[in-house]
Amino acid sequence: MQVQPAVKMALHNNNNTRNTKSPSLDTESTWTNDQKEEEQVRELCDWLDANPKINGCQTYENLHFFLRTCKFDIERTKRKLKVFYQMRAERTEWFDNCDPMLPEIQELLKLGVFLPVDGVDEHQRKVVIIRTAVHDPKKHTQNNVFKTSKMILDLLLKLEPDNCARGMVAIMDMQGVQLGHALQLNPKLIKRSVESWTAYPCQPKLLEFTNTPRHVNILLNTFRVFMTPKIRSRVIVRHGGTMVICNQLPRDLDRNGQGPTYKELAMKWKNLLEQNVDFYVEQGKYKSILK
């Protein structure tokens, strides 16, 4: 196996740390688990080398994250890696030319279409707020909205892997939704959007739609059609407020929230993306070879 340098270095550092002293009875189980996880990462590297068309990132951190979110089931992890990198190849409108400095991306970053909330909820899960109607449907394409959201999500997974691995909570704030927003979401686009949720390594544990006017029920029912039964069971629709308990919720969403405002969160993540331009260049290298 041609072990990737980053993987080789990570494994070497782990071994050096363990060799400084023999494991005690209290730590023997953890020590053994670490060895098993390293062997699983090696196996995934072997598998990716044998399947070069998947063209997945082979860093230790990336493969271990996929393993962790797949409950260290190696076959499940392989299926997830295959689906994830195939999605990134097929959905060129979302994953090609992911440059935070593009004018159309800058506009959507300023608006705050996708906002990770500081900290975690009461169950230690990462909370993100998706502002489904903050953009102008006459000016911004839905694909660019999705592209911006995926860019923020990709960086979030890099910056907060532990929080994200424990689960994601997505709050869809539909404040201000109009007919123009609904018309952007044709069934094909809705299907692709829902499929992307399950393609990512960390799936949503809760999908809460809030500030939902009654006339968008038809649109929400279309989303449900393409959901798996498990995801469908995690959907909650509210006409206002949120059931999510998190101290850092924005005051724009929860009047008792103690976190930054929507505008402040938008500027925070805009700055973070601009500081990580090289990350997106590197990310762009990893997608399946379709031909």
Side-chain angles (χ1 to χ4, degrees):
M1 174 188 70
Q2 185 77 34
V3 180
Q4 292 292 309
V7 177
K8 186 182 294 183
M9 180 62 72
L11 296 176
H12 175 73
N13 289 340
N14 287 345
N15 289 334
N16 281 347
T17 301
R18 279 201 300 271
N19 288 339
T20 56
K21 60 179 181 179
S22 298
S24 66
L25 290 176
D26 293 337
T27 62
E28 186 172 353
S29 177
T30 300
W31 186 75
T32 304
N33 286 339
D34 287 346
Q35 281 187 314
K36 180 180 178 181
E37 291 169 17
E38 289 174 5
E39 288 300 320
Q40 288 180 311
V41 170
R42 288 191 180 97
E43 182 177 341
L44 288 174
C45 283
D46 277 337
W47 176 74
L48 286 170
D49 285 340
N51 295 273
K53 287 193 173 182
I54 294 176
N55 194 32
C57 175
Q58 293 192 35
T59 64
Y60 183 89
E61 292 77 13
N62 183 62
L63 297 181
H64 189 269
F65 183 75
F66 271 86
L67 271 170
R68 181 177 176 184
T69 56
C70 291
K71 299 181 180 179
F72 296 96
D73 182 325
I74 196 77
E75 294 304 319
R76 180 179 169 187
T77 306
K78 290 176 182 178
R79 291 193 297 270
K80 179 67 73 173
L81 285 164
K82 185 175 181 179
V83 170
F84 181 72
Y85 288 109
Q86 182 172 332
M87 173 191 69
R88 297 184 81 89
E90 292 176 343
R91 299 276 70 79
T92 56
E93 65 274 24
W94 300 346
F95 297 106
D96 278 5
N97 196 21
C98 291
D99 182 355
M101 307 311 295
L102 290 173
E104 61 269 29
I105 303 300
Q106 283 280 303
E107 287 187 22
L108 293 167
L109 289 172
K110 289 177 184 177
L111 289 173
V113 294
F114 187 98
L115 301 174
V117 175
D118 293 347
V120 292
D121 75 351
E122 62 174 339
H123 302 295
Q124 302 302 303
R125 304 172 300 190
K126 191 64 188 177
V127 180
V128 298
I129 300 173
I130 300 169
R131 301 174 70 198
T132 61
V134 71
H135 67 284
D136 182 349
K138 296 179 181 178
K139 185 178 181 183
H140 308 111
T141 70
Q142 189 63 50
N143 275 324
N144 277 340
V145 172
F146 285 152
K147 179 176 183 175
T148 305
S149 299
K150 305 299 183 196
M151 290 174 65
I152 297 172
L153 177 57
D154 286 344
L155 185 59
L156 175 64
L157 298 184
K158 174 181 180 290
L159 297 178
E160 299 188 41
D162 289 340
N163 290 338
C164 295
R166 287 192 292 267
M168 304 283 289
V169 171
I171 303 174
M172 313 285 192
D173 186 354
M174 304 190 76
Q175 184 70 45
V177 68
Q178 299 175 2
L179 179 61
H181 296 105
L183 292 176
Q184 284 188 311
L185 289 165
N186 59 65
K188 179 186 288 187
L189 198 52
I190 291 174
K191 183 175 185 289
R192 289 175 175 176
S193 175
V194 172
E195 288 174 345
S196 75
W197 301 346
T198 55
Y200 266 83
C202 48
Q203 296 186 25
K205 301 299 183 183
L206 174 67
L207 285 168
E208 182 185 70
F209 293 82
T210 189
N211 295 319
T212 310
R214 297 186 186 278
H215 64 266
V216 301
N217 282 340
I218 295 176
L219 180 65
L220 295 183
N221 287 337
T222 307
F223 271 92
R224 287 189 178 98
V225 167
F226 298 113
M227 293 177 183
T228 64
K230 181 182 288 188
I231 296 295
R232 198 179 303 132
S233 69
R234 296 172 178 174
V235 173
I236 293 177
V237 180
R238 299 173 61 93
H239 297 300
T242 178
M243 65 174 290
V244 177
I245 300 176
C246 174
N247 291 334
Q248 293 300 310
L249 287 176
R251 295 182 292 278
D252 314 66
L253 178 69
D254 181 358
R255 61 184 178 183
N256 297 317
Q258 301 174 23
T261 63
Y262 279 169
K263 184 176 181 179
E264 290 168 339
L265 281 175
M267 290 308 299
K268 170 186 173 178
W269 282 93
K270 177 177 178 293
N271 291 336
L272 281 172
L273 264 69
E274 291 171 354
Q275 294 165 14
N276 285 275
V277 173
D278 291 345
F279 166 74
Y280 293 104
V281 174
E282 183 67 17
Q283 280 281 96
K285 300 175 183 177
Y286 303 112
K287 58 188 69 175
S288 293
I289 302 168
L290 299 178
K291 294 183 179 179

